[in-house]
């Protein structure tokens, strides 16, 4: 049998590596069956490396093959540029390579396994329409929960099967999707294409009414602040529509295509004219926008009068007059992501009771009773409609994948997965207007995060040492916590296909899954003071609850009822577990429940609060109130303000050395990149000093920061890969 390299040299056969396939005869690169934009020179560079997999290809060999002799003086810069473009297309990193290793001063080596492509039989497993989500092979999830060891042993195979299924599905999408999606609409996705492939993240796309341009928000390398850009579908450079020091997001075209509405920062609804100039309409919550087909209203989210929840509002784009359409109720609910139906008669939206528990609703556009369309708990990221208005398309995260689902708008509860959109689809938007009919644009996002560690030096006056990456995978690892004895860490990872609780040695070795819970997203793990148990929260369609599990593994035990509770922490003596939850009036408060099996629980605060942490000496319970830090005596008493902040939930920790926190509440939304200082606060004197810095991009909503009890070790999670592109599904009649 010939090697992959021989197959390339002799036959020009397509080869496979990781999630990619490369066609040397056409220089075409695909990822999971979808074409990846790659210029000719980087593609030829890839072909040269693949002809010699595992071998060193010297820079001189590449110069002789890819450049003529008279361009020798430009060779170094040209090769470096081509390699950077190739790594971007492969989502690879020079510092932590998966595919191409740099041999300094000599050349490059393709280190991933390479295999020739073989003919594949196309099959599609049946789906359970009402189930919680597909398995890696496209079928329903098995009812038996596999043991952690089984997951670890089968993970590579499952990953390959999952993406192989995606390739197969793409190849037979026309015939199979026509049959599967017939009950919902005569308009079916037949063709998927990529519209943008710039560095970084192109988010929240919207197609112009004439179908010739797409708007999105993006932070280019010069400004590092997200702004609205417009680019022709047929190619060309993106043109910035907005600018300034505050980030802009969620563009939405007017029906006549002359204006684009968008959000500025966290609170402003704006309109920009294509001819230049912009104006503020009013306040808005940071979620999607929808312009009514008649042009009379812009639907958006905004805070209710009590500022405890968000509702859907409509604002007149001319006068700025606004009216509230939805009433979330007393529970801490957030109505987000409004979308007008194609005829403008109905409005769909998501109602979320936590970041991971959302239901999809539909209501008359002029207001009235809302009809629930699905109660399957999904971490919602955008809603739109099918062109005929018979179904709603929503981005939901289920079983660890974020995919597009088609949901029957009649309220029958029937739903189908749109396989052609892939496993990283967010913020779908239906094209409106003659030139955009039958098209849906969406964001295809890939994110990978690892866990890093900073250690204090022996000399107290010296700064923290250099950061070390201790937990590394190709998935998202987050929420690290060091054990009381400093020998182990617990963290959250989706490396097994869904968010689960994992444990590893303090240096990241010997990682094992502690949980295998289906249909739930897990987070916020915390060690008990004696290191024998771990508390965490789980989110499902029933709400959110606190669970306990032995540090050595075993079945998790539900400790609180399903509600909206989360972010558990332990008292210093291990007798109580604190958590945040909503009271009877819908306000977020701090509660505690006995760590014994007696079910004894009580409310701790009356002034609101979140993210509770007890001091190591057991005297005070600290918590956040908005961006402010407060504390209350453990035995009861009046709360007092400790620090005006700003503090972000999940990005502070209390230790014997004081309160550590990270300055992540930056004034520009989306600016998660760059340097973020770490401060230490003396809660008694109020003195604040910078002790360390975190480099790289972070995920602010996730509790990705913790400090050891003695204050000498800092753990945090940061993105290694955070990229996205705009893709489009073209829908055509049967």
């Amino acid at each position: 049998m010939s090697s992959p390299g021989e197959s390339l040299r002799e036959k020009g056969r397509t080869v496979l590596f990781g999630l990619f396939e490369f066609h040397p005869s056409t220089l075409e690169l695909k990822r999971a069956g979808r074409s990846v934009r790659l210029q000719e020179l980087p593609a030829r560079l890839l072909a040269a490396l693949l002809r010699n997999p595992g071998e060193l290809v010297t820079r001189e060999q590449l110069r002789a093959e890819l450049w003529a002799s008279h361009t020798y003086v430009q060779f170094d810069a040209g090769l470096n540029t081509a390699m950077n473009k190739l790594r971007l297309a492969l989502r690879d990193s020079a510092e932590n390579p998966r595919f191409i290793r740099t041999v300094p001063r000599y050349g490059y080596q393709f280190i991933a396994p390479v295999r020739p492509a073989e003919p594949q039989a196309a099959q599609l497993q049946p789906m359970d329409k009402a189930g919680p989500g597909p398995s890696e092979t496209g079928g329903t999830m098995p009812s038996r929960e596999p043991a952690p060891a089984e997951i670890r042993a089968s993970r590579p195979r499952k990953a390959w099967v999952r993406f192989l299924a995606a390739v197969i599905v793409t190849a037979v999408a026309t015939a199979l999707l026509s049959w599967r999606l017939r009950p919902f609409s005569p308009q079916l996705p037949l063709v998927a294409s990529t519209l943008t492939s710039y560095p970084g993240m192109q988010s929240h796309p919207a197609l112009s009414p004439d179908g010739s341009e797409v708007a999105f928000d993006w932070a280019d390398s010069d400004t590092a602040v997200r702004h609205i850009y417009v680019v022709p579908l047929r190619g060309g450079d993106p043109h910035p529509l907005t600018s300034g020091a505050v980030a802009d997001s969620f563009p939405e075209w007017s029906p006549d295509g002359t204006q684009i509405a968008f959000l500025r920062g966290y609170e402003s609804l704006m309109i920009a004219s294509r001819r230049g100039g912009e104006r503020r309409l009013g306040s808005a919550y940071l979620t999607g926008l929808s312009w009514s087909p008649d042009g009379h209203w812009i639907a958006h989210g905004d805070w209710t009068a009590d500022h405890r929840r968000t509702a859907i509002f409509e604002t007149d784009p001319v006068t700025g007059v606004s009216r509230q359409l939805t009433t979330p109720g007393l529970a801490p609910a957030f109505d987000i992501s409004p979308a007008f139906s194609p005829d403008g008669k109905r409005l769909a939206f998501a109602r979320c009771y936590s970041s991971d528990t959302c239901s999809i609703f539909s209501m008359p556009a002029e207001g009235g009773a809302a009809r629930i369309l699905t109660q399957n708990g999904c971490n919602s990221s955008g809603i739109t409609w099918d062109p005929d208005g018979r179904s709603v398309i929503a981005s939901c995260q289920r079983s660890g994948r974020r995919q597009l689902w088609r949901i029957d708008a009649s309220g029958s509860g029937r739903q189908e997965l749109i396989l052609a959109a892939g496993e990283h689809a967010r913020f779908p938007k239906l094209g409106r207007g003659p030139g955009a009919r039958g098209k849906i644009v969406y964001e295809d996002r890939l994110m990978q995060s690892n866990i890093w560690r900073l250690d204090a030096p022996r000399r107290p006056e010296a700064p923290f040492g250099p950061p070390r990456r201790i937990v590394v995978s190709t998935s998202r690892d987050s929420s690290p916590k060091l054990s009381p004895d400093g020998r182990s860490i617990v963290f959250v990872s989706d490396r097994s296909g869904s968010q689960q609780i994992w444990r590893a040695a303090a240096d990241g070795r010997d990682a094992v899954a502690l949980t295998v819970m289906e249909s739930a997203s897990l987070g916020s793990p915390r060690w008990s003071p004696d290191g024998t148990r771990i508390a965490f929260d789980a989110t499902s369609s029933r709400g959110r609850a606190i669970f306990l599990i032995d540090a050595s593994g075993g079945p998790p035990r539900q400790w609180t009822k399903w509600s909206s509770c989360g972010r558990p922490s332990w008292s210093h003596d291990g007798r109580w577990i604190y958590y945040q939850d909503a009271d009877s009036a819908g306000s977020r408060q701090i509660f505690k429940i006995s760590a014994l099996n007696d079910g004894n629980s009580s409310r701790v605060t009356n002034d609101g609060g979140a993210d509770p942490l007890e001091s190591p000496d057991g005297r005070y319970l600290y918590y956040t109130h908005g961006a402010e830090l407060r504390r209350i005596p453990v035995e009861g008493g009046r709360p007092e303000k400790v620090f005006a902040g700003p503090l972000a939930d999940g990005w502070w920790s209390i230790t014997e050395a004081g309160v550590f926190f990270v300055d992540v509440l930056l004034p520009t939304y989306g600016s998660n990149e760059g340097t973020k200082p770490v401060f230490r606060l003396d809660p008694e004197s109020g003195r604040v000093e910078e002790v360390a810095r975190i480099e790289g991009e972070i995920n602010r909503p996730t509790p990705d920061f913790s400090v050891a009890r003695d204050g000498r070790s800092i753990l945090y999670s940061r993105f290694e890969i955070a990229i996205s592109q705009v893709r489009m599904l073209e829908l055509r009649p049967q």
Side-chain angles (χ1 to χ4, degrees):
M1 179 179 292
S2 62
S3 69
E6 292 171 340
S7 298
L8 275 171
R9 287 189 292 267
E10 298 172 4
K11 306 173 185 177
R13 181 185 297 177
T14 298
V15 294
L16 307 176
F17 56 93
L19 311 181
F20 293 90
E21 58 181 283
F22 182 67
H23 303 259
S25 59
T26 61
L27 299 180
E28 183 182 11
L29 178 67
K30 292 184 177 182
R31 183 181 185 274
R34 295 179 294 182
S35 294
V36 178
R37 286 187 180 182
L38 189 62
Q39 295 177 347
E40 180 182 353
L41 187 57
R44 291 172 58 204
L45 174 59
L46 176 60
L49 295 174
L50 286 173
R51 278 194 292 271
N52 301 278
E55 301 176 9
L56 172 66
V57 181
T58 67
R59 296 175 68 89
E60 182 61 26
Q61 288 175 309
L62 294 173
R63 186 204 64 77
E65 179 170 347
L66 303 181
W67 276 270
S69 59
H70 67 274
T71 62
Y72 181 81
V73 294
Q74 300 177 347
F75 163 67
D76 286 333
L79 178 59
N80 292 339
T81 299
M83 180 57 69
N84 289 338
K85 291 181 178 180
L86 176 57
R87 281 190 167 125
L88 182 63
L90 298 178
R91 306 181 181 186
D92 202 12
S93 166
E95 294 77 15
N96 186 27
R98 294 181 296 160
F99 299 114
I100 302 173
R101 174 185 296 149
T102 299
V103 181
R105 300 186 302 277
Y106 290 98
Y108 303 95
Q109 180 184 20
F110 199 92
I111 58 176
V114 178
R115 57 200 180 281
E118 301 291 345
Q120 300 288 340
Q123 293 184 348
L124 181 66
Q125 298 291 333
M127 278 180 47
D128 180 1
K129 298 179 182 179
S135 70
E136 286 80 358
T137 59
T140 56
M141 295 293 292
S143 58
R144 183 182 72 89
E145 292 189 350
E150 292 177 298
I151 292 180
R152 294 193 301 277
S154 62
R155 189 182 306 121
R157 179 179 179 274
K158 287 185 176 180
W160 165 241
V161 171
R162 181 169 68 248
F163 285 99
L164 177 60
V167 174
I168 296 173
V169 166
T170 302
V172 299
T174 300
L176 294 178
L177 285 175
S178 296
W179 174 76
R180 294 181 56 75
L181 300 178
R182 188 179 301 273
F184 295 102
S185 173
Q187 303 274 344
L188 304 175
L190 301 180
V191 179
S193 58
T194 301
L195 303 184
T196 71
S197 57
Y198 310 114
M201 300 182 67
Q202 299 102 65
S203 303
H204 313 121
L207 196 62
S208 63
D210 63 4
S212 66
E213 297 176 297
V214 63
F216 54 91
D217 55 78
W218 177 48
D220 64 22
S221 57
D222 295 329
T223 64
V225 178
R226 302 196 75 82
H227 291 304
I228 307 302
Y229 287 79
V230 177
V231 66
L233 260 64
R234 294 185 177 180
D237 295 330
H239 171 71
L241 182 70
T242 66
S243 61
V246 180
D248 303 319
S249 58
F250 289 100
E252 171 72 348
W253 294 83
S254 63
D256 61 6
T258 63
Q259 302 178 92
I260 292 180
F262 62 94
L263 297 177
R264 173 157 291 166
Y266 287 96
E267 57 182 17
S268 295
L269 175 61
M270 307 287 296
I271 286 184
S273 170
R274 293 304 312 277
R275 297 179 179 179
E278 60 184 41
R279 57 192 172 92
R280 185 179 187 272
L281 281 181
S283 64
Y285 182 71
L286 194 62
T287 183
L289 307 177
S290 183
W291 210 312
S292 64
D294 60 13
H296 293 166
W297 297 98
I298 299 174
H300 60 91
D302 202 358
W303 291 102
T304 56
D306 59 8
H307 213 72
R308 294 176 177 173
R309 53 193 65 82
T310 63
I312 303 300
F313 289 75
E314 283 184 335
T315 295
D316 187 316
V318 177
T319 65
V321 174
S322 181
R323 64 190 181 104
Q324 183 174 337
L325 292 179
T326 67
T327 304
L330 291 178
F334 297 85
D335 291 351
I336 61 172
S337 303
F340 282 104
S341 60
D343 60 8
K345 295 182 179 180
R346 298 197 66 80
L347 188 73
F349 64 94
R351 177 164 292 168
C352 302
Y353 298 95
S354 71
S355 61
D356 298 318
T357 305
C358 303
S359 295
I360 310 301
F361 287 80
S362 173
M363 64 178 295
E366 67 274 9
R371 172 196 299 161
I372 190 167
L373 303 183
T374 175
Q375 288 182 312
N376 290 352
C378 89
N379 185 334
S380 177
S381 290
I383 296 173
T384 193
W385 290 77
D386 258 345
D388 62 3
R390 290 167 51 186
S391 55
V392 170
I393 295 176
S395 169
C396 289
Q397 183 177 14
R398 294 168 176 163
S399 301
R401 294 171 291 276
R402 191 175 295 278
Q403 298 166 291
L404 298 187
W405 291 79
R406 174 170 288 145
I407 302 166
D408 186 4
S410 69
S412 69
R414 300 184 66 185
Q415 49 189 300
E416 294 279 1
L417 177 63
I418 301 178
L419 295 166
E423 297 187 350
H424 310 288
R426 300 168 182 254
F427 304 108
K429 180 76 71 171
L430 174 67
R432 306 288 177 88
R437 286 199 183 101
K439 299 177 180 178
I440 291 177
V441 290
Y442 64 96
E443 176 186 348
D444 183 24
R445 180 183 299 185
L446 177 64
M447 308 185 86
Q448 172 207 342
S449 59
N450 294 154
I451 294 173
W452 292 68
R453 177 169 178 161
L454 292 167
D455 288 313
R458 294 181 179 180
R459 294 182 293 110
E461 67 276 8
F464 275 74
R468 295 182 294 123
R469 187 193 289 111
I470 59 173
V471 175
V472 184
S473 75
T474 58
S475 302
R476 292 184 61 174
D477 302 323
S478 62
S479 305
K481 296 292 183 295
L482 194 64
S483 63
D485 61 9
R487 297 179 179 178
S488 303
I489 59 172
V490 64
F491 60 98
V492 177
S493 179
D494 62 1
R495 61 182 70 185
S496 62
S498 60
Q499 287 184 325
Q500 303 292 339
I501 306 299
W502 286 67
R503 190 194 71 235
D507 59 3
R509 293 180 300 176
D510 302 324
V512 295
L514 294 181
T515 63
V516 186
M517 294 176 62
E518 295 182 6
S519 304
S521 295
L522 313 185
S524 303
R526 289 257 170 77
W527 296 87
S528 62
D530 61 4
T532 62
R533 293 189 291 175
I534 295 168
F536 62 93
D537 57 40
T539 304
S540 74
S541 60
R542 291 167 288 180
R544 207 172 183 185
I546 306 299
F547 284 75
L548 297 185
I549 191 171
D550 291 340
S552 59
R557 290 156 289 173
Q558 185 171 345
W559 214 252
T560 66
K561 297 179 180 179
W562 292 107
S563 59
S564 58
C565 57
R567 297 286 174 88
S569 66
W570 297 77
S571 63
H572 77 290
D573 56 10
R575 296 176 56 193
W576 297 95
I577 298 172
Y578 297 101
Y579 59 95
Q580 63 189 43
D581 202 353
D583 61 16
S584 58
S587 298
R588 191 166 60 172
Q589 305 285 357
I590 304 301
F591 294 78
K592 68 178 182 179
I593 187 170
S594 172
L596 304 175
N597 290 318
D598 55 17
N600 183 24
S601 63
S602 61
R603 188 169 75 174
V604 177
T605 63
N606 294 307
D607 59 333
D611 216 14
L613 293 175
E614 190 175 287
S615 60
D617 60 11
R619 294 177 58 197
Y620 294 100
L621 177 69
Y622 288 77
Y623 58 96
T624 57
H625 185 275
E628 179 181 286
L629 180 64
R630 295 185 179 183
R631 71 182 182 185
I632 188 172
V634 168
E635 66 273 10
R638 295 176 59 85
E640 61 176 313
K641 182 173 71 173
V642 177
F643 181 59
L647 263 68
D649 290 354
W651 285 89
W652 67 281
S653 186
I654 186 165
T655 73
E656 295 170 344
V659 176
F660 289 73
F661 66 94
V662 185
D663 185 7
V664 299
L665 295 178
L666 305 176
T668 53
Y669 165 71
S671 298
N672 290 340
E673 299 180 356
T675 300
K676 288 154 284 294
V678 180
F679 295 97
R680 180 170 55 210
L681 162 71
D682 183 344
E684 304 305 326
S685 67
R687 181 172 178 266
V688 177
E689 61 175 339
E690 182 178 330
V691 296
R693 294 197 166 195
I694 292 176
E695 304 288 347
E697 187 170 359
I698 63 169
N699 186 19
R700 284 184 292 182
T702 307
D704 281 348
F705 173 81
S706 65
V707 185
R709 179 187 175 103
D710 60 7
R712 301 185 61 82
S713 296
I714 296 174
L715 300 181
Y716 62 93
S717 176
R718 53 168 278 193
F719 287 123
E720 307 291 338
I721 299 176
I723 57 177
S724 64
Q725 56 188 357
V726 177
R727 291 181 59 79
M728 181 171 68
L729 294 173
E730 293 189 54
L731 298 102
R732 299 173 181 171
Q734 292 188 50

